[in-house]
PDB file of all heavy atoms in Angstrom:
ATOM      1  N   GLU A 143       8.107   4.315  -3.529  1.00  0.00           N
ATOM      2  CA  GLU A 143       7.795   5.485  -4.353  1.00  0.00           C
ATOM      3  C   GLU A 143       7.832   6.756  -3.504  1.00  0.00           C
ATOM      4  O   GLU A 143       8.365   7.788  -3.919  1.00  0.00           O
ATOM      5  CB  GLU A 143       6.416   5.335  -5.012  1.00  0.00           C
ATOM      6  CG  GLU A 143       6.371   4.295  -6.098  1.00  0.00           C
ATOM      7  CD  GLU A 143       4.949   4.051  -6.588  1.00  0.00           C
ATOM      8  OE1 GLU A 143       4.024   4.813  -6.215  1.00  0.00           O
ATOM      9  OE2 GLU A 143       4.759   3.085  -7.355  1.00  0.00           O
ATOM     10  N   ALA A 144       7.264   6.670  -2.297  1.00  0.00           N
ATOM     11  CA  ALA A 144       7.240   7.844  -1.414  1.00  0.00           C
ATOM     12  C   ALA A 144       8.660   8.235  -1.015  1.00  0.00           C
ATOM     13  O   ALA A 144       9.008   9.430  -1.015  1.00  0.00           O
ATOM     14  CB  ALA A 144       6.401   7.553  -0.187  1.00  0.00           C
ATOM     15  N   ASP A 145       9.470   7.233  -0.682  1.00  0.00           N
ATOM     16  CA  ASP A 145      10.857   7.529  -0.306  1.00  0.00           C
ATOM     17  C   ASP A 145      11.601   8.159  -1.469  1.00  0.00           C
ATOM     18  O   ASP A 145      12.379   9.107  -1.299  1.00  0.00           O
ATOM     19  CB  ASP A 145      11.580   6.248   0.138  1.00  0.00           C
ATOM     20  CG  ASP A 145      11.128   5.776   1.512  1.00  0.00           C
ATOM     21  OD1 ASP A 145      10.490   6.567   2.230  1.00  0.00           O
ATOM     22  OD2 ASP A 145      11.413   4.600   1.873  1.00  0.00           O
ATOM     23  N   THR A 146      11.340   7.630  -2.678  1.00  0.00           N
ATOM     24  CA  THR A 146      11.983   8.176  -3.861  1.00  0.00           C
ATOM     25  C   THR A 146      11.554   9.615  -4.071  1.00  0.00           C
ATOM     26  O   THR A 146      12.369  10.499  -4.398  1.00  0.00           O
ATOM     27  CB  THR A 146      11.634   7.328  -5.093  1.00  0.00           C
ATOM     28  OG1 THR A 146      11.974   5.971  -4.830  1.00  0.00           O
ATOM     29  CG2 THR A 146      12.358   7.802  -6.336  1.00  0.00           C
ATOM     30  N   GLU A 147      10.273   9.934  -3.885  1.00  0.00           N
ATOM     31  CA  GLU A 147       9.768  11.300  -4.040  1.00  0.00           C
ATOM     32  C   GLU A 147      10.393  12.240  -3.025  1.00  0.00           C
ATOM     33  O   GLU A 147      10.786  13.356  -3.351  1.00  0.00           O
ATOM     34  CB  GLU A 147       8.248  11.327  -3.901  1.00  0.00           C
ATOM     35  CG  GLU A 147       7.518  10.800  -5.110  1.00  0.00           C
ATOM     36  CD  GLU A 147       5.998  10.873  -4.934  1.00  0.00           C
ATOM     37  OE1 GLU A 147       5.524  11.774  -4.187  1.00  0.00           O
ATOM     38  OE2 GLU A 147       5.303  10.044  -5.523  1.00  0.00           O
ATOM     39  N   PHE A 148      10.510  11.799  -1.775  1.00  0.00           N
ATOM     40  CA  PHE A 148      11.086  12.652  -0.742  1.00  0.00           C
ATOM     41  C   PHE A 148      12.563  12.929  -1.024  1.00  0.00           C
ATOM     42  O   PHE A 148      13.044  14.044  -0.850  1.00  0.00           O
ATOM     43  CB  PHE A 148      10.937  12.006   0.648  1.00  0.00           C
ATOM     44  CG  PHE A 148       9.572  12.223   1.244  1.00  0.00           C
ATOM     45  CD1 PHE A 148       8.701  11.166   1.396  1.00  0.00           C
ATOM     46  CD2 PHE A 148       9.174  13.488   1.648  1.00  0.00           C
ATOM     47  CE1 PHE A 148       7.451  11.356   1.942  1.00  0.00           C
ATOM     48  CE2 PHE A 148       7.920  13.677   2.193  1.00  0.00           C
ATOM     49  CZ  PHE A 148       7.044  12.610   2.341  1.00  0.00           C
ATOM     50  N   VAL A 149      13.245  11.892  -1.472  1.00  0.00           N
ATOM     51  CA  VAL A 149      14.660  12.083  -1.796  1.00  0.00           C
ATOM     52  C   VAL A 149      14.783  13.023  -2.993  1.00  0.00           C
ATOM     53  O   VAL A 149      15.656  13.885  -3.037  1.00  0.00           O
ATOM     54  CB  VAL A 149      15.348  10.726  -2.064  1.00  0.00           C
ATOM     55  CG1 VAL A 149      16.745  10.920  -2.628  1.00  0.00           C
ATOM     56  CG2 VAL A 149      15.393   9.900  -0.798  1.00  0.00           C
ATOM     57  N   ALA A 150      13.883  12.872  -3.972  1.00  0.00           N
ATOM     58  CA  ALA A 150      13.908  13.727  -5.161  1.00  0.00           C
ATOM     59  C   ALA A 150      13.635  15.180  -4.790  1.00  0.00           C
ATOM     60  O   ALA A 150      14.140  16.109  -5.423  1.00  0.00           O
ATOM     61  CB  ALA A 150      12.897  13.243  -6.189  1.00  0.00           C
ATOM     62  N   GLU A 151      12.862  15.423  -3.758  1.00  0.00           N
ATOM     63  CA  GLU A 151      12.532  16.781  -3.331  1.00  0.00           C
ATOM     64  C   GLU A 151      13.580  17.329  -2.376  1.00  0.00           C
ATOM     65  O   GLU A 151      13.468  18.434  -1.882  1.00  0.00           O
ATOM     66  CB  GLU A 151      11.151  16.809  -2.673  1.00  0.00           C
ATOM     67  CG  GLU A 151      10.035  16.544  -3.678  1.00  0.00           C
ATOM     68  CD  GLU A 151       8.664  16.578  -3.016  1.00  0.00           C
ATOM     69  OE1 GLU A 151       8.535  17.063  -1.881  1.00  0.00           O
ATOM     70  OE2 GLU A 151       7.713  16.114  -3.652  1.00  0.00           O
ATOM     71  N   GLY A 152      14.575  16.527  -2.072  1.00  0.00           N
ATOM     72  CA  GLY A 152      15.677  17.024  -1.263  1.00  0.00           C
ATOM     73  C   GLY A 152      15.632  16.612   0.189  1.00  0.00           C
ATOM     74  O   GLY A 152      16.465  17.038   0.970  1.00  0.00           O
ATOM     75  N   PHE A 153      14.671  15.827   0.580  1.00  0.00           N
ATOM     76  CA  PHE A 153      14.653  15.344   1.965  1.00  0.00           C
ATOM     77  C   PHE A 153      15.518  14.105   2.060  1.00  0.00           C
ATOM     78  O   PHE A 153      15.607  13.314   1.121  1.00  0.00           O
ATOM     79  CB  PHE A 153      13.220  14.995   2.406  1.00  0.00           C
ATOM     80  CG  PHE A 153      12.301  16.185   2.448  1.00  0.00           C
ATOM     81  CD1 PHE A 153      11.319  16.349   1.477  1.00  0.00           C
ATOM     82  CD2 PHE A 153      12.433  17.138   3.429  1.00  0.00           C
ATOM     83  CE1 PHE A 153      10.472  17.424   1.508  1.00  0.00           C
ATOM     84  CE2 PHE A 153      11.581  18.218   3.460  1.00  0.00           C
ATOM     85  CZ  PHE A 153      10.590  18.370   2.493  1.00  0.00           C
ATOM     86  N   SER A 154      16.149  13.924   3.211  1.00  0.00           N
ATOM     87  CA  SER A 154      17.008  12.745   3.348  1.00  0.00           C
ATOM     88  C   SER A 154      16.161  11.497   3.659  1.00  0.00           C
ATOM     89  O   SER A 154      16.456  10.407   3.202  1.00  0.00           O
ATOM     90  CB  SER A 154      18.045  12.945   4.432  1.00  0.00           C
ATOM     91  OG  SER A 154      17.407  13.223   5.665  1.00  0.00           O
ATOM     92  N   THR A 155      15.110  11.645   4.437  1.00  0.00           N
ATOM     93  CA  THR A 155      14.207  10.519   4.737  1.00  0.00           C
ATOM     94  C   THR A 155      12.781  11.032   4.786  1.00  0.00           C
ATOM     95  O   THR A 155      12.537  12.221   4.982  1.00  0.00           O
ATOM     96  CB  THR A 155      14.511   9.862   6.099  1.00  0.00           C
ATOM     97  OG1 THR A 155      14.411  10.852   7.103  1.00  0.00           O
ATOM     98  CG2 THR A 155      15.882   9.244   6.113  1.00  0.00           C
ATOM     99  N   ARG A 156      11.860  10.129   4.650  1.00  0.00           N
ATOM    100  CA  ARG A 156      10.445  10.478   4.678  1.00  0.00           C
ATOM    101  C   ARG A 156      10.024  10.671   6.138  1.00  0.00           C
ATOM    102  O   ARG A 156      10.400   9.882   6.997  1.00  0.00           O
ATOM    103  CB  ARG A 156       9.645   9.356   4.043  1.00  0.00           C
ATOM    104  CG  ARG A 156       8.157   9.633   3.919  1.00  0.00           C
ATOM    105  CD  ARG A 156       7.494   8.615   3.038  1.00  0.00           C
ATOM    106  NE  ARG A 156       7.643   7.264   3.514  1.00  0.00           N
ATOM    107  CZ  ARG A 156       6.727   6.608   4.247  1.00  0.00           C
ATOM    108  NH1 ARG A 156       5.594   7.173   4.541  1.00  0.00           N
ATOM    109  NH2 ARG A 156       6.943   5.387   4.632  1.00  0.00           N
ATOM    110  N   PRO A 157       9.252  11.718   6.451  1.00  0.00           N
ATOM    111  CA  PRO A 157       8.832  11.932   7.839  1.00  0.00           C
ATOM    112  C   PRO A 157       7.812  10.856   8.276  1.00  0.00           C
ATOM    113  O   PRO A 157       7.070  10.321   7.474  1.00  0.00           O
ATOM    114  CB  PRO A 157       8.179  13.308   7.822  1.00  0.00           C
ATOM    115  CG  PRO A 157       7.810  13.547   6.398  1.00  0.00           C
ATOM    116  CD  PRO A 157       8.764  12.753   5.564  1.00  0.00           C
ATOM    117  N   PHE A 159       4.491   9.883   9.809  1.00  0.00           N
ATOM    118  CA  PHE A 159       3.216  10.547  10.021  1.00  0.00           C
ATOM    119  C   PHE A 159       2.576  10.101  11.336  1.00  0.00           C
ATOM    120  O   PHE A 159       1.745  10.799  11.868  1.00  0.00           O
ATOM    121  CB  PHE A 159       2.262  10.243   8.863  1.00  0.00           C
ATOM    122  CG  PHE A 159       2.723  10.854   7.567  1.00  0.00           C
ATOM    123  CD1 PHE A 159       3.246  10.063   6.566  1.00  0.00           C
ATOM    124  CD2 PHE A 159       2.646  12.215   7.372  1.00  0.00           C
ATOM    125  CE1 PHE A 159       3.663  10.602   5.380  1.00  0.00           C
ATOM    126  CE2 PHE A 159       3.063  12.770   6.167  1.00  0.00           C
ATOM    127  CZ  PHE A 159       3.590  11.984   5.164  1.00  0.00           C
TER     128      PHE A 159
END
Side-chain angles (χ1 to χ4, degrees):
E143 289 172 10
D145 286 345
T146 305
E147 284 181 29
F148 279 111
V149 170
E151 291 180 15
F153 295 107
S154 58
T155 58
R156 184 168 59 96
F159 293 107

